[in-house]
């Protein structure tokens, strides 16, 4: 009996290490998936997750766990996010740029964010395939508007949306921003998200920024969400859209089966960059 207890403890320790390693690598684990992988009951996995949460190794969420530092209220500055997962964001931005070829004639709305910021850098050099054509760009991001204005590209017509500016993201938000968004109908809106979840939809930590994002979703003819794989299956505090309110998700890794099924049911096109 003592040997069996010792082996059980060793096996639990190995499970705990595997779970912690997976959290660090992937960013999320599910109870059902871990139970299947280890060949144990879901109750055993829940006890494992409880033990790891008490040790500060992870944070329990519905159906699984995420990194301990990942909170529904967690938010970092734009400068910090620009350097995090930079390669993935560059890849996603290039895939997004493919939706605005030199033949494109229309208007674009850019949300505030690090991945949309990468797209803005690419758009700074945009040129049409015929003289005199312009690309109309609206944005609520003060940093992105300043960047696009500085390049003085004659093929870009820039509209900066006003409002109260959030210091951490540089985004204009509030009633003024929402009122201006209600007066435009852009052909394409590129929107960022802190979380893309099968159950909760698209979310972000701040309610004022969520309101601005929701207004963008409602304003645009086509909504394209730019989200690197760390945002998939994550949930932030405030939902700004359901999955069936968006048209396309551009990301750098295939969504997990549950999220992929929900995206398919919502008729969302998934583009892997």
């Amino acid at each position: 009996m003592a040997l069996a207890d010792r082996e059980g403890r060793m096996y639990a320790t190995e499970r705990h290490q595997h779970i912690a390693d997976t959290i660090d690598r992937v960013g999320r684990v599910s109870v059902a998936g871990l139970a299947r992988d280890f060949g144990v009951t879901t109750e055993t996995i829940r006890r494992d997750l409880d033990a790891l949460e008490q040790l500060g190794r992870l944070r329990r969420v519905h159906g699984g766990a995420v990194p301990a530092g990942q909170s529904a209220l967690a938010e970092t500055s734009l400068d910090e996010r620009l350097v995090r997962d930079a390669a993935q964001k560059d890849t996603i931005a290039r895939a997004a740029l493919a939706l605005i070829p030199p033949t494109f004639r229309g208007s674009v709305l850019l949300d505030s964010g690090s991945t949309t910021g990468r797209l803005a850098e690419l758009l700074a050099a945009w040129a049409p395939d015929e003289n005199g054509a312009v690309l109309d760009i609206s944005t609520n991001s003060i940093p992105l508007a300043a960047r696009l204005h500085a390049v003085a590209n004659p093929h870009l017509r820039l509209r900066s949306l006003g409002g109260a500016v959030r210091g951490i993201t540089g985004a204009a938000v509030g009633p003024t921003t929402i009122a201006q968004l209600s007066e435009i109908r852009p052909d394409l809106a590129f929107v960022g998200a802190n979380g893309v979840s099968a159950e909760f939809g698209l979310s972000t930590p701040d309610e004022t920024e969520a309101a601005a994002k929701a207004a963008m979703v409602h304003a645009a003819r086509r909504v394209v969400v730019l989200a690197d794989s760390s945002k998939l299956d994550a949930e932030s505090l405030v939902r700004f859209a359901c999955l069936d309110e968006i048209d396309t998700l551009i990301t750098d890794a295939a969504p997990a089966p549950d999220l992929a099924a929900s995206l398919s049911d919502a008729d969302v096109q998934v583009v892997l960059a």
Side-chain angles (χ1 to χ4, degrees):
M1 180 66 69
L3 180 60
D5 288 345
R6 180 173 177 273
E7 288 174 349
R9 285 196 299 273
M10 287 177 63
Y11 187 51
T13 301
E14 292 169 355
R15 283 200 313 272
H16 291 179
Q17 188 60 54
H18 176 84
I19 292 168
D21 290 345
T22 304
I23 284 276
D24 291 340
R25 186 177 69 256
V26 180
R28 184 182 178 98
V29 293
S30 72
V31 171
L34 290 172
R36 182 180 61 250
D37 292 344
F38 287 118
V40 297
T41 65
T42 55
E43 289 75 12
T44 296
I45 295 300
R46 290 191 181 95
R47 288 195 296 270
D48 289 341
L49 297 182
D50 287 341
L52 286 166
E53 185 174 46
Q54 290 175 9
L55 293 172
R57 300 292 303 274
L58 52 77
R59 183 171 63 85
R60 291 293 309 275
V61 296
H62 179 71
V66 296
Q70 188 178 111
S71 163
L73 285 169
E75 193 170 17
T76 54
S77 71
L78 181 59
D79 287 342
E80 290 175 291
R81 283 182 285 151
L82 281 171
V83 298
R84 181 182 300 170
D85 299 322
Q88 293 93 318
K89 291 172 182 177
D90 284 341
T91 302
I92 292 168
R94 286 193 294 271
L97 183 66
L99 300 179
I100 319 169
T103 55
F104 183 84
R105 301 290 179 266
S107 54
V108 170
L109 175 60
L110 291 180
D111 183 19
S112 174
S114 54
T115 310
T116 52
R118 299 282 182 177
L119 175 58
E121 291 175 5
L122 296 176
L123 286 174
W126 188 88
D129 63 347
E130 64 180 45
N131 292 331
V134 297
L135 176 64
D136 189 284
I137 301 177
S138 300
T139 183
N140 72 325
S141 170
I142 304 306
L144 301 195
R147 218 171 291 168
L148 289 168
H149 175 71
V151 300
N153 183 339
H155 305 300
L156 304 181
R157 182 166 54 224
L158 179 64
R159 180 182 293 103
S160 181
L161 303 175
V165 180
R166 293 193 69 223
I168 193 168
T169 62
V173 296
T176 300
T177 310
I178 292 171
Q180 290 177 345
L181 285 166
S182 71
E183 298 293 330
I184 62 175
R185 183 73 71 199
D187 295 295
L188 276 173
F190 293 96
V191 182
N194 294 70
V196 181
S197 162
E199 293 186 357
F200 196 54
L202 301 141
S203 55
T204 197
D206 181 75
E207 61 183 350
T208 59
E209 203 143 344
K213 289 176 185 288
M216 291 181 181
V217 169
H218 295 151
R221 300 181 192 277
R222 181 182 179 189
V223 180
V224 181
V225 174
L226 308 182
D228 65 76
S229 53
S230 70
K231 313 297 175 50
L232 304 184
D233 285 317
E235 295 176 353
S236 249
L237 181 64
V238 187
R239 177 170 54 204
F240 65 85
C242 297
L243 295 181
D244 61 6
E245 293 180 277
I246 68 172
D247 299 287
T248 302
L249 168 67
I250 304 180
T251 187
D252 60 289
D258 287 349
L259 178 56
S262 294
L263 289 164
S264 177
D265 290 344
D267 199 26
V268 177
Q269 177 192 23
V270 177
V271 175
L272 298 183

